[in-house]
């Protein structure tokens, strides 16, 4: 019989399931995390769960906050379980380790609990860090590096500061109250997969604040820290089928379990004037400048995910591990890692690139977590500029052949404009954050639109004669014979 995941059952969990390593009754929230999804629950919450076992860390529990109507099922599950959930980590051999995470000691769903309640908690002096996982596109920074004041949620929140809908309305609203009440500011800590994530968060917060009050923006600029971080852990979405499989394996009745790989990494700049948990006792790497680490991770891991996503999906694959074990795609990714993205990078303390690149392919081929290619295909309009753009720029500025990247762009063009894979199967186009950049590709029905989009691929792609020729050839070849056959002829088509 399965064990319901509630506080009352923590002392009688099934064999092989670890309980939180601390007494939750003595823990209070010092972190408010906005954007409680699978990645947060498998990453920041895991580091915090470990750190709360230290007797001097009891004030650093997590208040989870979600802002979207679509988060209601998760909200109901977390409230029913008092913020508890399980994380099952699988190594590449298929060995599982399951933990019950108790770091989230409180939770709010803004549409259900009310914006006023969320603002009230964000103004609590005990909250000294507000952390974020709101996706790459959630920062609303356009192709010119400008915060999008015309976004619907931003426009609403500027007009209705007492009842915000969006993340920046809540953050700036809480900071405004703290300023007026004489309460110290909190640190804003991004945990999203984008370059200079702290600087991006700062840009967005200050732009929103300035639109409300230049004086408020100046105070935030002076009083709020925005540390940059590099975060890494492959965490697929938990489908109902996966939930049922996990519960059957663990013996738990968990409404919202998380599945992830056993690898985890977090590199962070130590800019927290109002304090922070001692995460470094449990694996966090503190550095003065996170930029080279995030650049390596984004170019290699996130870049490889994008390079694999559309070609493998269009070829008929649906799982990441099966695509990476396909010799054709394995060779394609290896070439990208070694000759396209990796050639511009150097090893770093704690991150030796040769071992890191080899480890990436091992992680991608982990069959136990069965990561889905459609997850990687999600939101390409937001991901491609950040994850592939730097490699395009480096290769073309240095007159280096980048045919694999040209092939990837041709596959993305086909994914967006054709809407069917090599086998004729249709799929939904999911571009929640950058449809304004992708819609012109659909409307024009021309392969030229993508390669000429400075916002999506930068200014060099269309101007570089060799790169554009490669792209054109690959688009035409995919139209004639499909994506897989085109990849098999990657070199012969353009040499």
């Amino acid at each position: 019989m399965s064990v319901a995941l509630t506080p009352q059952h923590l002392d009688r969990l099934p064999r092989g399931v670890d309980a939180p390593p601390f007494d939750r009754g003595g823990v209070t929230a010092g972190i408010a995390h906005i954007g409680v999804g699978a990645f947060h629950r498998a990453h920041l919450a895991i580091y915090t769960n470990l750190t709360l076992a230290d007797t001097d860390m009891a004030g650093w529990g997590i208040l989870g906050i979600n802002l979207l109507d679509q988060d209601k099922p998760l909200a109901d599950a977390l409230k029913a379980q008092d913020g508890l959930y399980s994380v099952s980590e699988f190594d590449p051999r298929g060995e599982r380790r399951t933990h019950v995470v108790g770091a989230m000691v409180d939770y709010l769903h803004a549409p259900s609990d009310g914006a006023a309640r969320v603002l009230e908690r964000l103004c609590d002096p005990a909250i000294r860090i507000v952390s974020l996982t709101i996706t790459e596109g959630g920062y609303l920074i356009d192709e010119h590096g400008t915060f999008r004041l015309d976004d619907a949620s931003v426009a609403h929140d500027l007009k209705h500061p007492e009842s915000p809908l969006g993340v920046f309305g809540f953050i700036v609203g809480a900071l405004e109250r703290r300023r007026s009440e004489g309460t110290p500011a909190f640190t804003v800590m991004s945990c999203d997969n984008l370059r200079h994530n702290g600087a991006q968060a700062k840009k967005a917060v200050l732009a929103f604040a300035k639109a409300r009050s230049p004086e408020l923006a100046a105070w935030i600029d002076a009083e709020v820290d925005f540390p940059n971080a590099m975060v890494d852990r492959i965490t697929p979405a938990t489908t109902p089928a996966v939930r049922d499989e996990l519960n059957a394996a663990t013996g738990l009745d968990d409404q919202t379990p998380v599945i992830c790989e056993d690898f985890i990494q977090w590199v962070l700049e130590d800019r927290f004037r109002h304090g922070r948990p001692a995460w470094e006792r449990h694996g966090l790497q503190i550095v003065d400048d996170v930029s080279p680490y995030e650049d390596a991770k984004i170019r290699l891991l996130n870049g490889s995910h994008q390079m694999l996503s559309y070609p493998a999906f269009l070829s008929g694959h649906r799982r990441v591990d099966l695509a990476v074990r396909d010799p054709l795609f394995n060779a394609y990714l290896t070439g990208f890692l070694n000759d396209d993205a990796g050639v511009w990078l150097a090893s770093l303390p704690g991150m030796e690139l040769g071992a890191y690149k080899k480890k990436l392919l091992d992680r991608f081929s982990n069959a136990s977590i069965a990561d889905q290619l459609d997850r990687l295909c999600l939101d390409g309009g937001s991901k491609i500029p950040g994850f592939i753009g730097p490699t395009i720029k480096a290769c073309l500025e240095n007159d280096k052949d980048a045919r694999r990247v040209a092939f990837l762009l041709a596959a993305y063009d086909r994914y967006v404009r054709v809407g069917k894979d090599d086998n004729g199967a249709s799929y939904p186009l999911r571009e929640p954050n950058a449809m304004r950049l992708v819609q012109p590709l659909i409307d024009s029905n021309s392969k030229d639109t993508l390669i000429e989009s400075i916002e999506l691929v930068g200014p060099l792609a269309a101007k570089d004669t060799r790169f554009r020729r490669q792209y054109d050839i690959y688009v035409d070849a995919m139209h004639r014979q499909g994506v897989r056959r085109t990849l098999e002829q990657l070199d012969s088509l353009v040499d």
Side-chain angles (χ1 to χ4, degrees):
M1 188 163 196
S2 59
V3 176
L5 188 48
T6 65
Q8 294 75 28
H9 292 99
L10 288 179
D11 61 349
R12 47 185 181 275
L13 294 172
R15 185 176 179 179
V17 178
D18 299 330
F22 54 90
D23 177 7
R24 295 182 86 219
V27 174
T28 56
I31 303 167
H33 183 84
I34 300 176
V36 177
F39 179 77
H40 162 70
R41 289 183 285 142
H43 192 268
L44 170 60
I46 289 288
Y47 281 97
T48 305
N49 197 63
L50 294 170
T51 304
L52 288 171
D54 301 338
T55 56
D56 57 339
M57 293 286 113
W60 289 110
I62 296 172
L63 160 65
I65 300 172
N66 278 331
L67 305 182
L68 304 177
D69 290 326
Q70 67 199 45
D71 296 320
K72 183 66 162 56
L74 175 62
D76 291 342
L78 289 173
K79 289 182 178 183
Q81 297 177 177
D82 195 31
L84 295 170
Y85 60 91
S86 63
V87 173
S88 290
E89 304 169 347
F90 286 87
D91 70 18
R93 299 179 304 278
E95 296 294 320
R96 171 182 58 82
R97 185 175 180 185
T98 299
H99 319 267
V100 172
V101 179
M104 194 185 313
V105 294
D106 203 353
Y107 176 84
L108 292 171
H109 178 235
S112 304
D113 298 304
R117 178 61 176 148
V118 174
L119 282 171
E120 178 186 354
R121 290 301 308 275
L122 290 175
C123 293
D124 183 345
I127 299 297
R128 289 181 279 166
I129 296 172
V130 174
S131 53
L132 308 172
T133 46
I134 57 175
T135 76
E136 297 84 3
Y139 293 83
L140 303 177
I141 305 295
D142 70 14
E143 63 274 13
H144 306 295
T146 302
F147 181 69
R148 293 182 54 217
L149 288 168
D150 61 345
D151 177 80
S153 68
V154 170
H156 172 276
D157 292 354
L158 289 172
K159 291 180 180 178
H160 306 284
E162 299 304 314
S163 56
L165 299 174
V167 60
F168 302 111
F170 280 104
I171 289 176
V172 173
L175 288 170
E176 186 173 33
R177 288 193 194 179
R178 282 180 176 243
R179 177 188 178 219
S180 66
E181 295 169 0
T183 303
F186 46 67
T187 295
V188 176
M189 181 179 70
S190 172
C191 296
D192 278 298
N193 277 318
L194 74 164
R195 190 176 280 99
H196 312 317
N197 55 11
Q200 294 287 73
K202 182 175 183 177
K203 178 182 288 187
V205 168
L206 290 181
F208 184 99
K210 188 174 182 180
R212 182 174 289 180
S213 161
E215 293 76 20
L216 174 61
W219 181 84
I220 292 173
D221 192 21
E223 299 295 328
V224 179
D225 293 317
F226 294 85
N228 291 304
M230 184 270 269
V231 298
D232 191 4
R233 181 167 237 187
I234 297 173
T235 310
T238 304
T239 64
V242 169
R243 177 198 62 209
D244 294 343
E245 291 171 6
L246 289 174
N247 285 338
T250 62
L252 292 170
D253 179 9
D254 181 359
Q255 297 180 46
T256 181
V258 177
I259 184 173
C260 62
E261 62 176 336
D262 62 334
F263 179 92
I264 189 169
Q265 187 178 21
W266 189 13
V267 184
L268 179 67
E269 295 172 355
D270 196 3
R271 291 191 277 125
F272 294 82
R273 75 185 79 178
H274 304 297
R276 63 167 177 80
W279 291 303
E280 69 274 21
R281 298 175 189 169
H282 300 276
L284 167 73
Q285 185 177 356
I286 293 289
V287 298
D288 293 331
D289 179 11
V290 79
S291 299
Y293 290 89
E294 64 186 11
D295 195 41
K297 185 260 181 176
I298 285 171
R299 289 201 193 199
L300 297 176
L301 185 145
N302 298 113
S304 293
H305 266 164
Q306 292 309 113
M307 291 294 290
L308 182 67
S309 58
Y310 307 106
F313 185 90
L314 291 171
S315 296
H317 283 297
R318 291 297 178 264
R319 280 173 43 181
V320 173
D321 60 298
L322 296 178
V324 172
R325 282 182 271 153
D326 181 328
L328 179 66
F329 283 98
N330 192 285
Y332 160 76
L333 280 187
T334 300
F336 171 76
L337 287 168
N338 291 334
D339 299 327
D340 299 331
V343 72
W344 313 110
L345 302 169
S347 292
L348 300 161
M351 194 175 182
E352 198 284 311
L353 288 185
Y356 183 80
K357 289 186 288 187
K358 182 181 183 303
K359 179 68 173 176
L360 279 183
L361 295 179
D362 290 341
R363 292 167 63 193
F364 291 173
S365 62
N366 188 332
S368 298
I369 62 172
D371 200 4
Q372 299 296 307
L373 284 163
D374 65 355
R375 182 183 76 86
L376 306 190
C377 293
L378 172 70
D379 211 15
S382 290
K383 293 176 179 176
I384 286 175
F387 297 164
I388 300 297
T391 297
I392 295 175
K393 184 174 185 290
C395 288
L396 300 189
E397 281 184 341
N398 290 277
D399 195 30
K400 187 178 187 307
D401 190 309
R403 63 185 61 185
R404 278 173 290 266
V405 182
F407 171 81
L408 176 276
L409 294 182
Y412 181 63
D413 175 79
R414 184 168 183 81
Y415 179 86
V416 169
R417 291 198 299 113
V418 176
K420 292 183 179 180
D421 68 12
D422 283 358
N423 300 317
S426 300
Y427 47 84
L429 178 64
R430 297 185 296 155
E431 291 282 350
N433 292 299
M435 196 62 192
R436 63 190 180 85
L437 301 180
V438 176
Q439 191 64 49
L441 278 65
I442 301 169
D443 294 342
S444 73
N445 197 31
S446 169
K447 66 183 178 185
D448 296 333
T449 309
L450 173 60
I451 199 72
E452 292 175 356
S453 172
I454 294 174
E455 296 88 348
L456 286 170
V457 302
L460 302 179
K463 296 178 181 179
D464 188 285
T465 303
R466 176 175 58 186
F467 187 78
R468 180 154 188 168
R469 173 179 167 272
Q470 291 168 343
Y471 168 81
D472 287 343
I473 288 172
Y474 293 142
V475 170
D476 292 340
M478 289 177 189
H479 176 70
R480 293 193 316 271
Q481 60 188 21
V483 177
R484 184 180 185 90
R485 180 62 177 152
T486 300
L487 180 56
E488 291 172 345
Q489 299 176 336
L490 185 76
D491 296 329
S492 62
L493 284 168
V494 297
D495 285 341

